[in-house]
Amino acid sequence: MRLSHVFRALQKWNYPGRVYIPLEKQNAWNKWLYYKSYWCQLGLLHDDTLNENRPEVQQALERIPAQWKDERAFRQRRAMELSMKHRILPESEWTKAEEDVLYLEPYVEEVKKEMEDFKEFTANL
């Protein structure tokens, strides 16, 4: 089984969250910018490129389901391999603008709110 078949099976993402480029903002300029981004050509989603050293992202990654963690790891490993070989995916396998969902954003926002609440709580003690 070729790797592209495995990836096509994983492309049926069912993530909550908003689309990276909403439909009302999907004009020619935004789509051109999106497809010229390197991570799109490697098959990554926008949230796969977030800095994992930030504490709110670390906690958000702990909260997502195991299947999403596995899919994220697969996309990142494939992107690392392609990057090391100085290659990109065939254009048919690029992440499409309408499929790029910010799956981690709701969790990051939730963690940020909890951190703010904790700071307020500890400030009042």
Side-chain angles (χ1 to χ4, degrees):
M1 177 183 266
R2 292 182 53 209
L3 190 60
S4 61
H5 296 291
V6 173
F7 179 67
R8 285 191 189 119
L10 290 175
Q11 268 186 327
K12 297 177 177 77
W13 297 304
N14 191 16
Y15 298 140
R18 62 183 178 85
V19 179
Y20 179 61
I21 302 177
L23 290 175
E24 60 272 3
K25 293 186 179 180
Q26 285 189 6
N27 56 27
W29 175 252
N30 285 342
K31 280 191 173 183
W32 181 83
L33 282 175
Y34 179 81
Y35 288 116
K36 285 298 173 185
S37 67
Y38 186 57
W39 48 268
C40 159
Q41 298 171 1
L42 296 176
L44 292 171
L45 296 176
H46 179 267
D47 282 354
D48 294 338
T49 63
L50 292 178
N51 185 359
E52 295 180 11
N53 294 330
R54 293 181 16 217
E56 61 269 9
V57 175
Q58 286 178 350
Q59 288 185 13
L61 286 172
E62 292 173 3
R63 296 179 185 194
I64 62 174
Q67 180 184 359
W68 296 2
K69 288 180 188 177
D70 294 342
E71 292 172 1
R72 176 185 170 94
F74 171 78
R75 290 189 300 266
Q76 288 179 332
R77 285 186 188 127
R78 182 186 53 189
M80 290 285 271
E81 183 178 339
L82 288 168
S83 180
M84 287 176 7
K85 293 179 180 179
H86 299 285
R87 297 180 186 211
I88 59 172
L89 289 172
E91 194 167 344
S92 62
E93 294 184 27
W94 289 5
T95 305
K96 297 178 182 38
E98 53 274 356
E99 293 177 355
D100 193 353
V101 177
L102 300 175
Y103 66 95
L104 201 56
E105 183 186 40
Y107 294 97
V108 172
E109 294 300 321
E110 180 181 322
V111 170
K112 283 182 182 177
K113 287 179 186 175
E114 289 177 4
M115 289 176 140
E116 289 173 10
D117 290 344
F118 183 75
K119 283 181 184 176
E120 288 178 17
F121 178 74
T122 55
N124 292 333
L125 289 179

